[in-house]
Each structure stands twice: as C-alpha cells, then as structure tokens.
C-alpha cells in the first residue's frame, strides 16, 4: 500500500491575473496493472519546466509567502499576456518532467 498523500509543486494562473507557484498535498494514486508509483527523491528544474512554472508572469513582481514546508510564490501576469494563458487559467498544473526515486508500489502485471 502506498502513502495516502504526497507533495507536488503546482503552477496556477489565476483568473485575476496572478501566477501562484505552490507546494501542495495531493492524493497518491494506487497503481493500475503495468504501472508503478515512485516516491521522487530528486528532480532537476530544466529549461523546459520554466515555461510551465512561470507562464507569462512578470517575475520582477514575485513575492514569497507560506512556510519552508509549503512555500508559495505569487507574481502578477500583465493583462496583455493573460490571453496567452487562456488554456490554463484556474487549472493547477503539476511541474516537473524528470525525476529519480524509489518504486513504492506496483500494479499487477
């Protein structure tokens, strides 16, 4: 049995024109046949991750809050750039394409 929850970095462009980058608790799925669940122990931030992380936000406006365990970064998205983000507004998106870790559960097969 896998842990009930895990932590995930998410990037959300809010409809009010704010990027929110946060670490949130999410449910851990049970693997289906031919799947595994991995506890990620290391992950790089690649250039390909930056577009998803920051979207069209003006990072010179970034402000950090939250705690060391659950940090939050917010930055303004200029009104003229919001149309570029229309497909992801108010949709939390997990960040990260690569990682290394340990298999903690495996489905049948």
């Amino acid at each position: 049995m896998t842990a009930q929850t895990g932590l995930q970095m998410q990037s959300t462009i809010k409809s009010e024109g704010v990027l929110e980058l946060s670490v949130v608790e999410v449910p851990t799925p049970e693997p289906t046949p031919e799947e595994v669940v991995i506890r990620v122990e290391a992950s790089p931030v690649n250039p390909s991750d930056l577009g998803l992380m920051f979207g069209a936000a003006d990072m010179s406006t970034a402000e950090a809050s939250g705690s060391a365990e659950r940090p939050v970064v917010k930055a303004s998205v200029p009104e003229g750039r919001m149309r570029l983000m229309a497909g992801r507004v108010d949709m939390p998106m997990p960040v990260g394409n690569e990682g290394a870790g340990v298999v903690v559960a495996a489905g049948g097969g």
Side-chain angles (χ1 to χ4, degrees), residues 40 42-44 97-101:
V40 176
S43 180
N97 294 317
E98 298 177 5

Side-chain angles (χ1 to χ4, degrees), residues 4 8 33:
Q4 296 287 322
Q8 182 180 77

Side-chain angles (χ1 to χ4, degrees), residues 32-68:
T32 60
E34 300 183 21
E35 289 185 335
V36 296
V37 174
I38 298 172
R39 181 182 64 241
V40 176
E41 296 187 352
S43 180
V45 176
N46 289 316
S48 62
D49 297 321
L50 298 177
L52 177 63
M53 285 175 69
F54 303 130
D58 176 358
M59 294 310 292
S60 70
T61 67
E63 295 183 4
S65 63
S67 65

Side-chain angles (χ1 to χ4, degrees), residues 41-105:
E41 296 187 352
S43 180
V45 176
N46 289 316
S48 62
D49 297 321
L50 298 177
L52 177 63
M53 285 175 69
F54 303 130
D58 176 358
M59 294 310 292
S60 70
T61 67
E63 295 183 4
S65 63
S67 65
E69 296 80 26
R70 302 285 170 81
V72 177
V73 174
K74 292 184 179 182
S76 298
V77 179
E79 187 176 334
R81 294 184 190 171
M82 279 299 289
R83 65 181 171 79
L84 300 172
M85 301 287 98
R88 60 174 282 192
V89 170
D90 293 326
M91 295 177 15
M93 303 183 80
V95 175
N97 294 317
E98 298 177 5
V102 175
V103 174
V104 295

Side-chain angles (χ1 to χ4, degrees), residues 11-29:
S11 174
T12 308
I13 302 289
K14 307 269 184 167
S15 55
E16 60 268 15
V18 175
L19 162 78
E20 182 176 283
L21 186 62
S22 57
V23 176
V24 298
E25 193 167 350
V26 296
T28 302

